[in-house]
Amino acid sequence: MQGRIIRIISNLYTVESENEVYECRARGLFRTKEITPLVGDIVEFNDENYILSINSRKNELNRPMIANIDSAIIVTTCTRPDFSPFLLDKMLVNITLNNIDPIICFSKYDLLEEQEQREFDKLVEYYNSIGIKTLVNHDIKTLEKYISGGTVVLTGQTGAGKSTLLNALDSTLNLATDDISEALGRGKHTTRHVELFKVKDYYIADTPGFSALDVIDDISNIRFAFPEFANDECKFRDCLHKGEKGCRVVEQVNNGEILKSRYDSYRKMVEK
């Protein structure tokens, strides 16, 4: 039989297959070969509830330990706490370089004054213009179109509104925000394991510590996570866009074609 691992606690693997749930264990051979099953893995298992093999993964993360993620919703607060362009861009880099489709969701948009909302409208327009799906938190219908049929993780700093967004996505809960973690057995600061939850026609992963990701170690790859830098117009093909002679990216920043905060984030990451 084939199924998807939706939860791992100690050495017990919860596998969902054709709307049934099986509590499985891994073959001893996995430990010998140092093979580690992850939440999100598509696995083959037998009638004795032993996992026999793991299908090839399209991606995987080490922190949190999860595989086969289609998209990540970056819940980014407009205010309370203040918006951090660098934190947003840092998460975008990690998600993109791990072959996961990023979706930016600006939360607490309704708490802004009209002029502040216009500034965030410009950010939504810019990120969409470079090919990154971006919206504000009240646009739930659009968000559901983006994640329909997929496996999704939520990330963002504490207080960004991840629980509120989850409640909006799953209207059948009809619970106050503070009650969600108790009803689903998870919480803001108490999640100790990764778990996939079925919501409508997609899965959402509850993950501890996802907002604490570090920037990819190989800084030469970071430029590839900035789609607006992807051009062949720099004088040198291996240009790192750090002020080299003939750098077209710097020129585009100076003339306003590339958002300055994006370039500032990039420089901060590559010059750490």
Side-chain angles (χ1 to χ4, degrees):
M1 294 185 288
Q2 185 178 92
R4 179 198 306 260
I5 297 177
I6 60 171
R7 181 175 61 242
I8 300 174
I9 298 179
S10 297
N11 294 319
L12 195 63
Y13 302 87
T14 304
V15 177
E16 183 184 70
S17 177
E18 298 182 356
N19 297 319
E20 297 288 337
V21 173
Y22 303 84
E23 300 299 336
C24 299
R25 297 191 180 277
R27 296 173 61 195
L29 185 63
F30 283 15
R31 185 177 302 144
T32 303
K33 293 188 174 182
E34 297 184 343
I35 298 172
T36 303
L38 300 177
V39 168
D41 273 335
I42 305 300
V43 299
E44 304 291 337
F45 64 103
N46 62 18
D47 293 338
E48 297 178 341
N49 288 8
Y50 274 92
I51 296 174
L52 305 176
S53 62
I54 300 171
N55 290 7
S56 296
R57 298 165 179 159
K58 71 175 184 178
N59 56 41
E60 63 181 275
L61 295 173
N62 291 322
R63 191 174 67 178
M65 296 182 69
I66 191 168
N68 300 317
I69 294 297
D70 296 303
S71 56
I73 303 172
I74 307 172
V75 185
T76 305
T77 178
C78 297
T79 183
R80 302 181 193 177
D82 291 340
F83 169 56
S84 170
F86 177 68
L87 179 59
L88 170 58
D89 292 330
K90 178 181 176 181
M91 287 191 282
L92 282 169
V93 165
N94 284 278
I95 289 165
T96 301
L97 293 184
N98 277 293
N99 193 32
I100 299 170
D101 185 31
I103 301 169
I104 302 170
C105 179
F106 285 114
S107 65
K108 305 185 183 181
Y109 178 85
D110 57 309
L111 300 181
L112 300 175
E113 299 293 334
E114 187 175 341
Q115 177 58 39
E116 293 172 317
Q117 287 184 345
R118 284 197 289 268
E119 292 303 313
F120 274 91
D121 290 343
K122 292 177 184 177
L123 284 178
V124 170
E125 182 180 357
Y126 179 82
Y127 279 104
N128 275 311
S129 74
I130 60 173
I132 298 173
K133 301 181 182 75
T134 307
L135 42 74
V136 295
N137 59 297
H138 59 70
D139 195 358
I140 296 298
K141 288 185 178 180
T142 299
L143 181 57
E144 288 188 320
K145 289 180 183 177
Y146 289 158
I147 62 179
S148 177
T151 300
V152 187
V153 293
L154 272 73
T155 182
Q157 73 264 51
T158 299
K162 296 187 291 295
S163 295
T164 301
L165 181 62
L166 176 61
N167 200 25
L169 285 169
D170 192 351
S171 58
T172 62
L173 287 174
N174 194 29
L175 299 170
T177 303
D178 291 341
D179 294 332
I180 293 177
S181 59
E182 181 180 352
L184 298 183
R186 49 189 161 162
K188 286 183 180 178
H189 305 292
T190 59
T191 302
R192 294 292 180 265
H193 61 272
V194 179
E195 185 165 355
L196 287 176
F197 292 89
K198 188 72 176 289
V199 178
K200 299 179 182 177
D201 68 337
Y202 51 88
Y203 289 88
I204 285 186
D206 185 25
T207 62
F210 190 51
S211 60
L213 276 169
D214 295 323
V215 171
I216 300 297
D217 289 335
D218 188 351
I219 62 173
S220 65
N221 286 331
I222 292 176
R223 57 188 164 140
F224 300 120
F226 286 77
E228 64 269 58
F229 293 5
N231 65 70
D232 298 320
E233 299 179 34
C234 290
K235 184 174 182 179
F236 302 106
R237 181 171 295 181
D238 60 349
C239 183
L240 293 178
H241 316 309
K242 295 166 62 176
E244 297 92 332
K245 183 178 179 180
C247 178
R248 172 63 175 154
V249 168
V250 171
E251 182 182 331
Q252 289 176 305
V253 173
N254 291 335
N255 64 25
E257 293 178 59
I258 290 177
L259 197 64
K260 187 176 184 301
S261 65
R262 288 278 287 167
Y263 185 66
D264 290 344
S265 294
Y266 171 74
R267 288 294 294 262
K268 190 173 181 178
M269 282 183 259
V270 297
E271 294 174 358
K272 61 176 181 173

